[in-house]
Amino acid sequence: MDFRAGTLIFTYLASVLPITVWVLANFFKAMPGELEEAAHVPRPAPLQAVYKILLPLGHPRLVNTGLLAFN
C-alpha cells in the first residue's frame, strides 16, 4: 500500500469513527435499563444478554450508522 493511501485511510477513520461511536453510544444509553435486567432473569452470560437482547433491538441503528460511515 502506498503511503498516501494509508494516510487517506487514517484520515477518513479519524474523522468518521468519533461520529459513529457517539451516535451508537447515545442510542445504547437511551435504551431502558429494564431490558438488560429482564435479560438476566434466566441467568444468561453477560455477553449472551447483549447478543440476544440489545443487538437485535439496535440493528436498525447499526445499519444506519454503517451507512453513515461508509457513505
Side-chain angles (χ1 to χ4, degrees), residues 3-71:
F3 175 72
R4 288 176 279 157
T7 304
L8 183 63
I9 292 170
F10 179 74
T11 305
Y12 185 71
L13 281 175
S15 64
V16 171
L17 191 62
I19 294 170
T20 57
V21 168
W22 177 67
V23 167
L24 286 176
N26 285 333
F27 174 71
F28 283 114
K29 282 180 188 176
M31 284 185 142
E34 290 84 13
L35 287 173
E36 191 173 351
E37 291 172 9
H40 290 296
V41 169
R43 301 281 181 209
L47 288 178
Q48 189 177 9
V50 170
Y51 179 73
K52 291 192 173 194
I53 304 291
L54 297 179
L55 284 181
L57 290 173
H59 188 269
R61 181 60 68 146
L62 290 169
V63 171
N64 188 9
T65 306
L67 289 173
L68 173 72
F70 294 110
N71 188 2

